[in-house]
Amino acid sequence: DFSKHQQSKNRMFSPAVGSVLCLLMLSNTAADIPESNALVVVPEAQAAEAPVKAVEPAEKRPEIVFLNPKDGDRIPMWAPATSVAVAIRWRVKNFDLDKDGKACFLLNGQQTPSSEPHTCLKKRSVIDAEELGLGTWTIEASLVDVSGAVVFNSTLTFEVVEGKKFVPSYEWQRVEDYQSVPPGLDIRLPLDGVSIKEARIPPTWQLQLYLGPELSFFRPQVTPATTILQIRQAIAAHAGVPENCVVLSVAPAKGATATPQPLNDASTVEEINLFAIQSQKNLEVSFLTGGDCAR
């Protein structure tokens, strides 16, 4: 009997039956399910007539893409300015502004939510956001079709920050997108698209010193704890002169009339920020002449 029941069951759910079986679950309690609704057999022809709404592929859905600024951008405001202007560039995908509807935008500040109506455009153009102060700003963007229905909406967030030059140190520091860094630094780049770019002065780096046309360049390795005396001793050994004949000094800025200032022997590379002095090409080496210093 069991085998006959199983065969009958298999025939019921076999594709050969030519019907679509629809099980309507109306309740957790069997007593609540009317017998007539427990199992409904729909002929294939009838099932084929039922309209099925296709799910629109993600790549074909309408959307607004922001080209500038990007979400999460930090825009510098340089002193003495008290505000900045931002040109908001955008484009639409899978949506024709001439036929399908319009693109609408609303700019909000963190401290001053906008009371203005949305700006709606029927063609692509640059949106000029002027007089933006420090803080976080958001742009609410939406696509509205000809019937007035919103078919896409999103929010872009960016921040206006105080503009600063990047000052390298021996600790890892964030490098803003708008900042430039001097050559010779260790750079740590984000690979996940989320982390931040960082830079530091290497724990050991190469000092570049010009010793004149005869000796050309000398490149000793230094650390934050290297002293000026140790550098002078290395130069003296390379040049074949006594260390008291070597003078290491900082040249005045271009156009200044001051004389070069010799560096203190006890000072370390980190204390006087020798990396920055070299980056500015203000480090000078000179040799005393006469007596033991004659070469």
Side-chain angles (χ1 to χ4, degrees), residues 132-153:
L132 303 187
L134 296 173
T136 302
W137 294 84
T138 61
I139 302 173
E140 299 174 16
S142 58
L143 290 173
V144 182
D145 67 16
V146 291
S147 71
V150 176
V151 296
F152 171 82
N153 60 71

Side-chain angles (χ1 to χ4, degrees), residues 63-75 86-91 93 124 136-139 154-160 174 177 193:
E63 65 175 303
I64 294 174
V65 179
F66 285 102
L67 307 177
N68 181 72
K70 299 285 189 182
D71 195 55
D73 275 1
R74 290 159 64 91
I75 298 171
V86 178
I88 301 167
R89 293 178 169 81
W90 55 280
R91 65 184 179 90
K93 292 176 63 177
R124 177 181 167 186
T136 302
W137 294 84
T138 61
I139 302 173
S154 69
T155 301
L156 169 77
T157 301
F158 64 92
E159 189 177 0
V160 177
R174 175 175 182 155
D177 290 340

Side-chain angles (χ1 to χ4, degrees), residues 211 215-219 233-241:
L211 306 184
L215 296 172
S216 189
F217 285 96
F218 176 52
R219 300 179 176 87
Q233 290 171 338
I235 296 171
H238 179 76
V241 299

Side-chain angles (χ1 to χ4, degrees), residues 189-229:
L189 297 173
L191 300 179
D192 56 6
V194 177
S195 304
I196 59 175
K197 178 181 177 181
E198 295 178 302
R200 70 172 182 182
I201 302 172
T204 300
W205 54 279
Q206 190 175 72
L207 184 63
Q208 180 167 285
L209 302 167
Y210 182 66
L211 306 184
E214 183 181 342
L215 296 172
S216 189
F217 285 96
F218 176 52
R219 300 179 176 87
Q221 297 288 320
V222 298
T223 70
T226 302
T227 64
I228 297 302
L229 175 58

Side-chain angles (χ1 to χ4, degrees), residues 37 50 139 286 288:
N37 291 335
I139 302 173
S286 58
L288 300 179

Side-chain angles (χ1 to χ4, degrees), residues 245 287-291 293-294:
C245 301
F287 295 94
L288 300 179
T289 59
C293 298

Side-chain angles (χ1 to χ4, degrees), residues 75-206:
I75 298 171
M77 182 174 73
W78 300 98
T82 57
S83 65
V84 295
V86 178
I88 301 167
R89 293 178 169 81
W90 55 280
R91 65 184 179 90
V92 296
K93 292 176 63 177
N94 307 312
F95 192 86
D96 189 337
L97 290 173
D98 289 331
K99 299 183 300 182
D100 299 335
K102 56 189 177 182
C104 296
F105 304 89
L106 181 65
L107 179 68
N108 282 297
Q110 187 177 30
Q111 305 298 330
T112 55
S114 176
S115 58
E116 299 294 324
H118 282 72
T119 298
C120 294
L121 305 171
K122 286 289 292 177
K123 64 179 181 178
R124 177 181 167 186
S125 61
V126 175
I127 302 173
D128 292 319
E130 299 180 345
E131 298 185 356
L132 303 187
L134 296 173
T136 302
W137 294 84
T138 61
I139 302 173
E140 299 174 16
S142 58
L143 290 173
V144 182
D145 67 16
V146 291
S147 71
V150 176
V151 296
F152 171 82
N153 60 71
S154 69
T155 301
L156 169 77
T157 301
F158 64 92
E159 189 177 0
V160 177
V161 299
E162 184 181 347
K164 295 180 180 179
K165 288 183 62 177
F166 182 81
V167 179
S169 73
Y170 290 92
E171 302 296 328
W172 288 107
Q173 296 183 81
R174 175 175 182 155
V175 180
E176 303 288 356
D177 290 340
Y178 65 83
Q179 290 177 323
S180 59
V181 298
L185 296 181
D186 284 341
I187 306 292
R188 190 153 62 187
L189 297 173
L191 300 179
D192 56 6
V194 177
S195 304
I196 59 175
K197 178 181 177 181
E198 295 178 302
R200 70 172 182 182
I201 302 172
T204 300
W205 54 279
Q206 190 175 72

